[in-house]
Each structure stands twice: as structure tokens, then as C-alpha cells.
Amino acid sequence: MRALGALRVISIALVLSAAHSQIAFCPAGQFISSTGGPYSNETECLSCPSNSFSPNASSSSSDCTCIAGYEGPDANSCMMCSAGTYKDGMGMGPCTICPVFSNSSAGSSQMTDCSCIPGYIGVDGSTCAACPEGSFKTSSGPGPCSTCPPLTTSSAGSSQATDCSCIAGYEGPDVMESTPRAVHA
């Protein structure tokens, strides 16, 4: 077996010129473009538009597609996914709405970026369920529901301690001071 000379890979455009032709191979994130110079076959590598990317050796700006977390009809108009949505791959497709009762920040690139809203529990990126009656949850994301103080209750999906109110037969100025209600005959 014959040993070949060392092969060196470089990450910049490789341009080979011949008498009347030129071949260019651009790195990922760039594409070949005609420069319109004095020779009609002059080419150069141009970067894809903002928030888009192309594979290695791309030959046209149409090879550029929106990156994860961005959507658009073409690479020239990739817009960040809005809050409550995500896009987990490259391409021109739309952002996907988070599962019900969950939310995400703008530009989210994974379904697991969708966290349960206050008052709901579940694993990030999955279906969220309401905190049961008699409990509440004040923060987004995974985590348990807190139980209402003694002698108080709340409706399912409550998101604040102040959602807890005295149970029948008790009264008080706030949820921490429930006392038996006087019965008048």
C-alpha cells in the first residue's frame, strides 16, 4: 500500500482556478456567489443571512435555512419563535406551540423549553396538569404544588397562596388566620 502525502483540511473557501473556469467550495454557513467582476466566472463565498445556516459546499443562497428557534418562509426573513412556541430543527417550517398550560421564552429551540405555567405541574416539554383543589403553585417550571394552610382550600389550578380561602364554617382576614365562624341562632 502506497502512502499518500499529508492531506490538509482548511476551513476557508477552497478556490481552484483553471484557464476559463473556477470552482469554489464554501464552508458551512456560507454559499457561492458570483462577484460580477471582470471575469464572468469569478466567485466568492458569502455568509448566510442572520439566523440562518447552510451545509458545507452550498452553491446558492437558497441552501441557507432558518436555524432552530427561528422560522420564516426563506432564509432572508428568519424571525425568532415567539414566546409560547419552539422550533427544534433547521428549516423553513413554522414554530410549534408549546403543550397546553405551558410556556417558553422567545427563541426556544426545544420542546423541553416549554415549562408548566403557575398553577400547573408536569415535566418540561410534556402535558401539564392543574394543581389539585386545596393547593397552589406560584412559579413556572417543574416543581410541586404547595398545600393551602389548614382550614383553607382553593380551586384546581390555583397560582397564589391568596387563592386559598377559608373552608365553610370558618372566617379570617387572610389564609393564615382562619377561625371558627360564630353561629347565630
Side-chain angles (χ1 to χ4, degrees):
M1 180 177 201
R2 237 173 53 179
L4 297 176
L7 176 64
R8 187 172 180 195
V9 177
I10 57 175
S11 64
I12 59 172
L14 172 63
V15 178
L16 302 172
S17 294
H20 294 289
S21 66
Q22 191 173 60
I23 303 171
F25 297 96
C26 297
Q30 296 182 356
F31 61 93
I32 295 173
S33 177
S34 174
T35 63
Y39 303 103
S40 63
N41 60 355
E42 283 186 20
T43 58
E44 68 179 334
C45 292
L46 296 178
S47 294
C48 287
S50 295
N51 307 314
S52 67
F53 201 73
S54 66
N56 217 11
S58 293
S59 59
S60 166
S61 63
S62 64
D63 292 335
C64 300
T65 60
C66 295
I67 60 174
Y70 289 78
E71 66 180 344
D74 58 58
N76 291 316
S77 58
C78 294
M79 303 293 293
M80 183 182 291
C81 291
S82 60
T85 66
Y86 68 94
K87 183 168 161 245
D88 59 5
M90 289 182 58
M92 296 306 159
C95 299
T96 303
I97 296 173
C98 286
V100 68
F101 302 119
S102 67
N103 201 4
S104 66
S105 57
S108 292
S109 61
Q110 300 175 31
M111 186 174 186
T112 55
D113 291 339
C114 300
S115 296
C116 295
I117 61 174
Y120 290 80
I121 56 173
V123 177
D124 287 348
S126 66
T127 303
C128 299
C131 287
E133 187 176 305
S135 66
F136 63 94
K137 182 175 163 243
T138 60
S139 62
S140 294
C145 299
S146 299
T147 304
C148 286
L151 306 175
T152 65
T153 192
S154 66
S155 59
S158 293
S159 60
Q160 300 294 322
T162 55
D163 293 338
C164 300
S165 57
C166 295
I167 60 173
Y170 288 83
E171 61 184 13
D174 61 40
V175 296
M176 301 310 284
E177 297 180 23
S178 296
T179 56
R181 183 179 306 155
V183 176
H184 302 284

